Amino acid sequence: MTDTPAVRVRGLRKTYGDTLAVDGVDLDVAAGEVVALLGPNGAGKTSTIEILEGHRDRDAGEVRVLGHDPARAGLDWRTGIGIVTQDGADLTELTVREAVRHFARYYPEPRDPDDAIELVGLTGKADARVRTLSGGQRRRLDVAIGVVGRPRLLFLDEPTTGFDPQARRQFWALIRRLAADEGCTILLSTHYLEEAEALADRVAVIVDGRIVAAGTPATLGGRATARTLVRWADGRQETDDPAALVASLTRRYGGVVPGLTISRPSLEDVYLDLIGDPS
Amino acid sequence: MTTTLGRPGTRPSAARLGLYRAAIELKTFFRERDAVVFTFALPAVILALLGAIFDGVYPGSDVTSAEYLAPSMIAAGIASTTFVNLGTGIATDRDDGTLRRLRGAPMPPSAYVIGKILMALVVTVGETLLLLGIAVVAFDVRLPTDPARWFTFGWVFLLGTTACALAGIAASSLAGSARSAGAVMHLPYLVLAFVSGVFFTPVGALPGPLITLGSLFPLKWMAQGFRSVFLPDSILPQEVVPSWEHGRIALVLAAWCIGGMLLCLTTFRWHGRRGR
């Protein structure tokens, strides 16, 4: 069972009127993996995720989520997935505990609601009305509701948009805990490069509805094999073997090489290159 | 299919989830000051105000203007707690992500509908008792002792509540957003309250075209039905025709139940206008 990929997408297409939002996306997420769908705003991330969640129709392509087609899957399939959307503004008049407890009721074997609240770090806010929560707390409540049914696969659509840096760090710690301690498979979308790098086992970069690169954060866009730039006080050189170059420089200078720096393209360089940013 | 999903078979039933939905809906309703003020308290305030303003006794009877108003206001109260309440409530659910979240959970859609209907029913019974209380205490309305009149009250209440609730669910799709929902639902409600002879009494004194307009909708017939429960027949000359027309009331309300159901089935949207 665990060999079944959590998500398998081939040739996914979606158009809105004349606008092509998703243009032949292929995507695989293995069980237990954390995969980030990284791309600028309007790249097709949310459309793709909503199709996988069964919230949106597709025009073409093959989609399997937990072995089923989300467009036709029933309520039993839904017990296996958790969804955290980017703009939920509901539940305002309930308390955190009432909201989580209510959603626990839909699932056959839910978590203890108080455990789910503790998992996301909202125990101190359990009796607070949802409308009094900050943006970060509100998203953490969404995660608590998303995981209260013990899903095997969790969707997070741009979960930290609008967060301050501290709230973002706290949220990342929560996601890492879910993945590491709870063994949850996670597909998240984000337009923050550092978020994808911090959380994901694998990153798929999506631009204009197409996946333009995929891999681990370390190898994305050929980063691991790219030539290294060595710079020193009197010169610069690109090389495949920086160690040998530095050794020969050391010999030439008879010791310390003045102003020596060795750099590979940063993930940001690679990403900006991939999304075609002219800067 | 190779995958076993969740733990099927042990999912809670739609009926049970419907009860949980009703509990959460009621909690939410009574905590939302806007909803309570505009949907629940407003008809009571209008009854108290108009009852105090209107005075005089209708010729040929001993019925005061306030007594005449009270049963009609019960009908308007029901329209408020069903039509306006469900219309704005569902439009808001569609706008703020409630429906999306529920569709993402393993919730049978019927549980949502059951929850809404039960919530509206509880609020409607509460509203009716409140209005009856005001009518009896402040305006000397006498509760009938004849069981036949209570039987009439029962079927008018049931058919009227159902018809207005279904119309409200159908009309929820007309509102583009939660913010416009209040206006979209209150406008027809207020217009109908006037042309059905609720805010304007007696109904027989309305201009002909307005009577015709009011007669197309359930509120006029519901109000007429309740007047037949609480008022003596000596008031009949003030009605549009000198008869309570029970058969026609039942017919119109039942037709709205069926039409409302068909409208709900054809127009109900789980999604907002962003398209799929």
Side-chain angles (χ1 to χ4, degrees), chain A residues 232-235 246-258:
Chain A
W232 63 99
D234 309 319
V246 170
S248 79
L249 283 169
T250 308
R251 276 195 302 278
R252 193 191 309 169
Y253 284 95
V256 177
V257 181

Side-chain angles (χ1 to χ4, degrees), chain A residues 71-96:
Chain A
R72 280 190 288 274
L75 296 178
D76 288 332
W77 174 78
R78 290 227 166 264
T79 63
I81 66 168
I83 294 175
V84 178
T85 61
Q86 52 177 302
D87 53 3
D90 53 338
L91 309 168
T92 48
E93 296 304 318
L94 300 175
T95 68
V96 167

Side-chain angles (χ1 to χ4, degrees), chain A residues 1 4 14 16 50 54-57 64 66-68 75-79 83 85 87-91 93-95 98 102-103 105-109 129 138 142 145 152, chain B residues 1-12 16-17 20-21 24 27-28 31-33 96-109 111 271 274-276:
Chain A
M1 297 297 168
T4 313
K14 174 71 188 174
Y16 303 103
E50 286 183 347
H55 276 164
R56 203 169 275 283
D57 302 329
R64 283 279 179 276
L66 298 182
H68 293 248
L75 296 178
D76 288 332
W77 174 78
R78 290 227 166 264
T79 63
I83 294 175
T85 61
D87 53 3
D90 53 338
L91 309 168
E93 296 304 318
L94 300 175
T95 68
E98 285 169 341
H102 177 72
F103 277 88
R105 298 200 189 280
Y106 295 113
Y107 297 87
E109 280 179 21
R129 294 280 176 92
R138 159 96 228 188
D142 290 337
I145 292 173
R152 293 164 48 202
Chain B
M1 297 301 137
T2 53
T3 320
T4 47
L5 292 168
R7 295 90 186 160
T10 51
R11 262 194 306 110
R16 217 169 104 204
L17 289 176
Y20 288 134
R21 286 296 316 157
I24 221 83
K27 224 177 243 180
T28 304
R31 285 179 188 174
E32 269 169 5
R33 213 168 306 139
D96 70 9
T98 301
L99 283 181
R100 215 155 89 100
R101 191 192 295 280
L102 290 172
R103 291 291 270 170
M107 180 202 74
H271 294 265
R274 286 191 306 161
R276 297 200 67 182

